[in-house]
Each structure stands twice: as structure tokens, then as C-alpha cells.
């Protein structure tokens, strides 16, 4: 009751600047808060404070931009003779923020600026198990491969909502058959179970989305690779050439070629307009478990169950490098954007960075306590993601990028690193972030301009 009397007798004065008052008026005018107008007019005493010496230069620039945008909108409203705020007073934030609140804001700002944002897609499929998954570069389509031989698609909300599903060719229509009218609320792609693509006769081991060609590629345990049309979800082509299950594949940056790795200890190069391989890379002593195109598409890197990483020439399938050092199966590869370095990881839970010119390991990252299943090493198209990892991006050399990893431990690690040919990086020069997700198994990680995308499941 005592505080109520203080409140009604205007015991507490409010100090704010004219700019803050204008901002408050513009906000209330836009949203029509009549009750707040009456409260401000009746119970509050506003003391205009024009002292701007307390503001630093950065605050002045930010405030001027916000006030100019809002003031233009407010001035148009103020010209109206019936302006409901002609006699209204108000308040904005205090010029001097409470110390505890300021410390909390600084802590939140520090966390946001030191970590790259993570976007996580968790796929739940009670009837089967997720084996692999990918998104397109624009993060519009999510494609997953499952152990029940299905490829499933999800629309992530950007486009491709309405699609005509391919007609079942095993059915035929009589003359009296009437086509049912489509429901206005019917969406082919749903976030629930996804749209299934059936045709493989074994678990789907790897998938890839080609939005420019409007195709989806899938490699399976049934020794084949298939291409699916995004226009009607039909199978566009069937590629045969491996004698044993296909474990992995990768598409060149131009989309002209595809490379696959198989249980038959070979990697094979394919052209999408031919159903037979155009190159065969032979040399691994065991399964080829991961493949990756070099950024210039002149070389291909392969990793195998023989614990080695090999670099091949595309034009003549000649072996160029053999990199040994892993103590387990190599499951994933990633080239640096410059093409000078190659990252590899696998069952030994370590990420090794190789200098391709010197054929040596220049760095080794640790931190995963499960098998590493995915790597992505990407340059950043926009500076917003790099700024979160590096306090002063202007001091970085040209060979700076983000190296991301994910594994069966449900952890995503993001490393902002740079290399030079004359020295190896120390641990103090490496900036990293670690995310502990609720997934028990992460199958893919990708770097996008604004965030890092991870896909996983809970087994």
C-alpha cells in the first residue's frame, strides 16, 4: 500500500532524453496503446534530460540511425491535428543501466560473439534408422537415406511446397474413373514422416542434393546409384558399375561429375549422362569409405578402411599422394577452400590436417569422444559468421576459414583456423566452439553463410 501511494503521488521521477521520448511516442502510436497513454498522462512525471555527454561515439552513431528512421515516421504522424500524443509524456530506458544488468548483457554478448550459430535438424524415424542426410546449399530441402532402402525428403519451408507426385505405373485407369480433386490444404512434403522415394533394394548409404539440376543422388548397399527428379520424384537414371555395396559419394562443384567409393576397394568416376563409370581408381587395400573432390576438380581424395588417405588425378586416375597416420577407418574428408590442405577424420576420433605439397600432417585436433562422421571446411560468404569467431577479422590472413566436425558422440566442433607453409599452428592460436546436441548420432555438418547446419538422430 505504501508503494502504491508513492506511485500515485509521482514519488519516482523519470529522466530521459527528447530522442527517447520521441521513440516511445512513435512506438505507442504505431501499436495504439491507449491505456498506456492514459497512465503516462495521469501518473508519471517526465523530466527531459538533454545531457548527451555520457554517450560514447558508438552509442551516438547507433542512436542517430534509429532516431532518424523512427523520427521520419513520427514526424508524419505529428503533422496530424488529431495526434493522440500531443499531450503525452513517456519514458525509455535509463541512460545509466544497472550494473548487474549491464554485466549480464555483456556476458550474453560475449557468448553470442564467440560462437558460430548452429542450426540442428533432428530426424526421428521409429520405423527405420537414419544412415545419411544432406541439405541443399540454400537449406531448402533436407534429404535422408534410411536402412529400409528409402530416400526421404523434407521441405524446410523456403520453397518446393507443392509438387506433383509421380503416378503409380502399376495402376491403370478405366474410362469411368474420375480423378479426385486435390485438397487445398494438401502439402506433398511435410515435416513429419517426409516424402519417400522407393527403388533401392538395400540401405541407402549416401545422398546428395543437386538443386541446379533438380536432381537427388543416392548410393545404396545394393551396388547401385540412382538419380531422382525433384519435379515429379521419379527415378531418372540407374547407375551400375560397382560389384559390391557403395559406401560414399561426392559431386564436383560444377555438377558435371560424381565419384563413389565401394566395398570393392575402388572409387569410380561418373558422368550424370552416362550410366557406366568413366574412371576407376584402384589402390586401396580395403573398402573405400569416403571420397571428396578437390576445389579445382583436378584431384580426388579417398579414404579407406586401410587407414590411409590417397590423392588421385582425375584425368588419368593416377595416384599422386598417400597419407598415412590414422589408427582407424577414415570416414570423412574435407579440402580447405584454397585447396592446399586436406582434413581427414574417422574411428580414431582425431582430425588430421595435411599439407598436400609437403605430404605431412601439420595439425591434429582432438575433442571428440566418439567416431567422427562428418567434416566441412568452408570459406564464409558473409562476414557475419566469421565475426562471431574472431574479434578482429581484419587481422586474419587470406587462408582463413571454418573447419566443422560432427560425430557419433553428438558433438559439433567449429574451429576457426589459419595456416602458413612455414609454421605449424599452436593450440593458443586456434579459436573453437563446441556444441553438445541431444542427438546420439550426427551424420552430417555443413557451413552456411549465416550458420552451421548439423543433421542427426537419436538411436
Amino acid at each position: 500500500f505504501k508503494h502504491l501511494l508513492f506511485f500515485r503521488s509521482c514519488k519516482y521521477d523519470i529522466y530521459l532524453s527528447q530522442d527517447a521520448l520521441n521513440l516511445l511516442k512513435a512506438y505507442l502510436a504505431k501499436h495504439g496503446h491507449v491505456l498506456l497513454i492514459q497512465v503516462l498522462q495521469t501518473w508519471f512525471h517526465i523530466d527531459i534530460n538533454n545531457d548527451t555527454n555520457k554517450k560514447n561515439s558508438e552509442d551516438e552513431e547507433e542512436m542517430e540511425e534509429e532516431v532518424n528512421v523512427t523520427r521520419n515516421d513520427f514526424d508524419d504522424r505529428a503533422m496530424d491535428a488529431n495526434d493522440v500524443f500531443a499531450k503525452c509524456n513517456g519514458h525509455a530506458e535509463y541512460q545509466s543501466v544497472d550494473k548487474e544488468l549491464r554485466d549480464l548483457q555483456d556476458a550474453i554478448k560475449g557468448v553470442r560473439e564467440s560462437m558460430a550459430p548452429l542450426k540442428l535438424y533432428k530426424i526421428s524415424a521409429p520405423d527405420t534408422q537414419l544412415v545419411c542426410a544432406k541439405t541443399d546449399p540454400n537449406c531448402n530441402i533436407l534429404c535422408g537415406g534410411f536402412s529400409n532402402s528409402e530416400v526421404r525428403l523434407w521441405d524446410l519451408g523456403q520453397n518446393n511446397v507443392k509438387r506433383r507426385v509421380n503416378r503409380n505405373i502399376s495402376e491403370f485407369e478405366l474410362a469411368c474413373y474420375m480423378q479426385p480433386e486435390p485438397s487445398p490444404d494438401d502439402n506433398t512434403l511435410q515435416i513429419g514422416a517426409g516424402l519417400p522415394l522407393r527403388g533401392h533394394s538395400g540401405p541407402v548409404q549416401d545422398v546428395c542434393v543437386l538443386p541446379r539440376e533438380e536432381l537427388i543422388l543416392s548410393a545404396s548397399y545394393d551396388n547401385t546409384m540412382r538419380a531422382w527428379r525433384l519435379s515429379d520424384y521419379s527415378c531418372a537414371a540407374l547407375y551400375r558399375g560397382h560389384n559390391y555395396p557403395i559406401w560414399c559419394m561426392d559431386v564436383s562443384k560444377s555438377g558435371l561429375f560424381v565419384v563413389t567409393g565401394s566395398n570393392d576397394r575402388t572409387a569410380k568416376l561418373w558422368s550424370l549422362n552416362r550410366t557406366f563409370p568413366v574412371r576407376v581408381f584402384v589402390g586401396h587395400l580395403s573398402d573405400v569409405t569416403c571420397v571428396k573432390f578437390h576445389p579445382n576438380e583436378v584431384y580426388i581424395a579417398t579414404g579407406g578402411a586401410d587407414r590411409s588417405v590417397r590423392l588421385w588425378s582425375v584425368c588419368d586416375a593416377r595416384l599422386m599422394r598417400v597419407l598415412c597416420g590414422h589408427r582407424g577407418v577414415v570416414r570423412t574428408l574435407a579440402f580447405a577452400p584454397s585447396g592446399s590442405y586436406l582434413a581427414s577424420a574417422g574411428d580414431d576420433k582425431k582430425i588430421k590436417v595435411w599439407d598436400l605439397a609437403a605430404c605431412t600432417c601439420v595439425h591434429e585436433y582432438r575433442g571428440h569422444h566418439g567416431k567422427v562422421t562428418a567434416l566441412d571446411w568452408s570459406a564464409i560468404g558473409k562476414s557475419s559468421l566469421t565475426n562471431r569467431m574472431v574479434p578482429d577479422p581484419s587481422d586474419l590472413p587470406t587462408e582463413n576459414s571454418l573447419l566443422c566436425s560432427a560425430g557419433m558422440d553428438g558433438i559439433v566442433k567449429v574451429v576457426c583456423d589459419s595456416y602458413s607453409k612455414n609454421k605449424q599452428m599452436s593450440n593458443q592460436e586456434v579459436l573453437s566452439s563446441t556444441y553438445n546436441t541431444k542427438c546420439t548420432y550426427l551424420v552430417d555438418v555443413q557451413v552456411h553463410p549465416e550458420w552451421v547446419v548439423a543433421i542427426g538422430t537419436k538411436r
Side-chain angles (χ1 to χ4, degrees):
F1 182 77
K2 181 179 179 181
H3 292 286
L4 179 61
L5 291 177
F6 286 163
F7 175 76
R8 299 191 63 177
S9 61
C10 298
K11 179 70 175 181
Y12 303 103
D13 294 334
I14 298 176
Y15 301 92
L16 73 161
S17 65
Q18 184 64 45
D19 290 335
L21 179 60
N22 293 337
L23 287 172
L24 178 64
K25 289 181 178 181
Y27 176 81
L28 296 178
K30 180 178 179 181
H31 294 83
H33 295 299
V34 180
L35 184 60
L36 290 178
I37 296 171
Q38 296 176 354
V39 172
L40 292 173
Q41 289 176 336
T42 306
W43 305 113
F44 286 82
H45 173 70
I46 310 299
D47 187 0
I48 302 299
N49 181 16
N50 293 321
D51 184 13
T52 58
N53 294 330
K54 295 181 180 180
K55 298 181 179 180
N56 55 32
S57 59
E58 296 180 359
D59 291 336
E60 288 179 348
E61 294 177 359
E62 294 178 359
M63 180 62 73
E64 287 176 1
E65 293 178 359
E66 295 178 359
V67 169
N68 290 335
V69 174
T70 310
R71 185 179 289 170
N72 292 335
D73 182 50
F74 171 71
D75 291 340
D76 295 339
R77 300 170 185 266
M79 298 302 293
D80 189 357
N82 297 325
D83 187 3
V84 295
F85 290 99
K87 298 181 180 180
C88 174
N89 290 324
H91 76 283
E93 294 182 357
Y94 288 93
Q95 292 292 332
S96 58
V97 185
D98 183 77
K99 184 179 182 300
E100 294 183 358
L101 180 59
R102 182 182 299 172
D103 293 341
L104 178 61
Q105 291 174 344
D106 292 341
I108 295 174
K109 184 179 178 181
V111 171
R112 289 177 176 174
E113 291 183 350
S114 63
M115 298 184 69
L118 175 68
K119 179 180 285 189
L120 176 65
Y121 293 103
K122 182 179 178 181
I123 299 177
S124 178
D127 57 332
T128 182
Q129 287 187 348
L130 178 70
V131 179
C132 56
K134 284 284 194 307
T135 64
D136 66 303
N138 296 322
C139 214
N140 292 332
I141 300 175
L142 173 60
C143 180
F146 294 85
S147 59
N148 64 350
S149 308
E150 287 184 354
V151 177
R152 294 186 184 178
L153 302 180
W154 287 268
D155 177 26
L156 300 182
Q158 301 296 326
N159 55 19
N160 301 316
V161 175
K162 293 288 186 180
R163 292 289 192 181
R164 182 178 62 84
V165 179
N166 189 38
R167 184 176 63 87
N168 188 351
I169 60 175
S170 64
E171 298 178 354
F172 61 93
E173 300 175 0
L174 300 177
C176 60
Y177 177 77
M178 295 182 62
Q179 186 72 19
E181 295 183 0
S183 173
D185 299 329
D186 179 30
N187 288 335
T188 300
L189 293 179
Q190 299 179 358
I191 299 298
L195 177 71
L197 306 179
R198 298 184 178 96
H200 285 292
S201 58
V204 179
Q205 300 294 332
D206 205 353
V207 292
C208 188
V209 183
L210 286 70
R212 186 170 56 183
E213 292 80 7
E214 292 195 351
L215 290 175
I216 290 177
L217 297 179
S218 60
S220 174
Y221 192 86
D222 61 7
N223 312 345
T224 66
M225 179 176 67
R226 289 176 180 262
W228 309 84
R229 297 186 185 93
L230 279 174
S231 58
D232 58 2
Y233 307 117
S234 62
C235 183
L238 177 62
Y239 302 89
R240 298 181 184 273
H242 284 287
N243 299 322
Y244 291 91
I246 303 176
W247 301 128
C248 55
M249 69 176 175
D250 187 42
V251 182
S252 62
K253 191 174 182 181
S254 63
L256 298 177
F257 297 101
V258 181
V259 61
T260 56
S262 172
N263 179 235
D264 59 13
R265 305 182 183 181
T266 67
K268 296 190 177 184
L269 184 72
W270 309 78
S271 176
L272 291 179
N273 56 1
R274 299 178 181 177
T275 58
F276 54 88
V278 296
R279 292 286 187 277
V280 180
F281 305 91
V282 181
H284 278 281
L285 304 178
S286 187
D287 300 18
V288 178
T289 51
C290 54
V291 290
K292 194 70 176 180
F293 272 99
H294 191 276
N296 63 12
E297 303 183 20
V298 178
Y299 303 101
I300 290 175
T302 60
D306 58 2
R307 307 178 182 180
S308 69
V309 178
R310 298 171 186 256
L311 188 69
W312 311 81
S313 173
V314 173
C315 62
D316 55 3
R318 183 162 52 96
L319 181 63
M320 308 296 295
R321 295 282 190 276
V322 180
L323 308 174
C324 298
H326 282 284
R327 296 185 177 182
V329 178
V330 182
R331 295 188 178 273
T332 179
L333 300 168
F335 279 100
S338 64
S340 302
Y341 300 92
L342 173 66
S344 60
D347 289 4
D348 59 2
K349 310 172 187 178
K350 301 174 183 177
I351 303 172
K352 292 181 178 291
V353 178
W354 307 89
D355 187 336
L356 296 179
C359 200
T360 57
C361 179
V362 296
H363 202 88
E364 182 180 283
Y365 296 106
R366 302 187 181 187
H368 286 278
H369 55 266
K371 299 177 181 179
V372 182
T373 55
L375 288 175
D376 190 20
W377 199 345
S378 177
I380 307 304
K382 298 181 181 179
S383 60
S384 58
L385 187 57
T386 305
N387 291 342
R388 293 175 179 268
M389 298 292 297
V390 184
D392 189 4
S394 61
D395 294 338
L396 291 173
T398 56
E399 266 191 88
N400 180 78
S401 52
L402 294 185
L403 175 60
C404 301
S405 62
M408 292 185 179
D409 51 7
I411 292 178
V412 177
K413 293 186 68 67
V414 182
V415 178
C416 182
D417 212 342
S418 57
Y419 300 94
S420 63
K421 292 184 178 180
N422 297 326
K423 73 169 187 175
Q424 297 182 1
M425 301 299 293
S426 62
N427 292 333
Q428 289 77 13
E429 295 174 302
V430 177
L431 300 175
S432 63
S433 299
T434 302
Y435 298 90
N436 292 299
T437 67
K438 294 183 179 180
C439 296
T440 57
Y441 179 54
L442 295 173
V443 297
D444 188 63
V445 64
Q446 301 174 44
V447 179
H448 289 258
E450 298 289 350
W451 52 72
V452 176
V453 174
I455 308 172
T457 186
K458 188 174 182 179
R459 291 184 175 178

